[in-house]
Amino acid sequence: MDEVITAPEDVLKAEYAAALKFNEEPVTIRIERSSEKFAPLVVDCWCNGKGAEVLINGRWVETAYLPIGVPVTTKRKYVEILARSKIDSVQTKVEDRDSEKPRNLVERFTSSRAPFSVLEDRNPKGAAWLTGIVRFN
């Protein structure tokens, strides 16, 4: 039988508090415009029912969307939501269509819903954090 080892409660609280603090840090990004015709000028972004927050004149303002093509400072948690948001396109190709047993080949393509660049992240752990999200998502 496996032994269950629990961490002391104060350690768990400290790790959780540090993770919350990290996700509230400001990060400056620029979201790139998509190549689609009549591409939107903003991207919706929500976290637990709260719209994206943007730093304007030293104050956090809830906007529920992030503008495209301009530098914007938002909280790290919204950057994570953008990094994880993807679009999946699926296309089926049929080989030997006229045969008794045609082959269906499924091609999948995943792309970012809102590609962006990080312009400023003052936390030295920020680059590794974002690389891990993009790599494993």
Side-chain angles (χ1 to χ4, degrees), residues 54-128:
V54 176
L55 189 63
I56 300 174
N57 296 326
R59 292 183 30 178
W60 290 107
V61 178
E62 184 178 344
T63 62
Y65 61 85
L66 298 171
I68 291 177
V70 296
V72 60
T73 301
T74 189
K75 294 182 178 181
R76 186 179 307 279
K77 61 186 174 185
Y78 301 111
V79 175
E80 179 174 354
I81 290 167
L82 290 176
R84 292 185 186 276
S85 64
K86 307 286 183 194
I87 296 173
D88 291 323
S89 301
V90 180
Q91 184 176 7
T92 305
K93 291 186 177 182
V94 181
E95 288 185 352
D96 300 327
R97 184 180 302 268
D98 298 327
S99 72
E100 187 176 315
K101 291 186 177 183
R103 282 187 51 190
N104 293 322
L105 302 175
V106 178
E107 293 179 355
R108 291 181 171 84
F109 178 74
T110 302
S111 62
S112 178
R113 183 177 72 92
F116 64 90
S117 300
V118 175
L119 303 178
E120 182 181 45
D121 185 350
R122 293 185 180 175
N123 190 318
K125 296 178 181 178

Side-chain angles (χ1 to χ4, degrees), residues 5 10 13 26 30 33 43 58 66 79 104 118-119 127 129:
I5 300 172
D10 57 335
K13 286 182 181 177
R30 184 182 62 238
R33 190 168 185 179
V43 173
L66 298 171
V79 175
N104 293 322
V118 175
L119 303 178
W129 164 81

Side-chain angles (χ1 to χ4, degrees), residues 1 9 12 21 29 72 86 93 101 116 131 135:
M1 182 175 213
E9 191 173 318
L12 294 176
K21 183 179 177 185
I29 62 171
V72 60
K86 307 286 183 194
K93 291 186 177 182
K101 291 186 177 183
F116 64 90
T131 299
R135 181 183 308 144

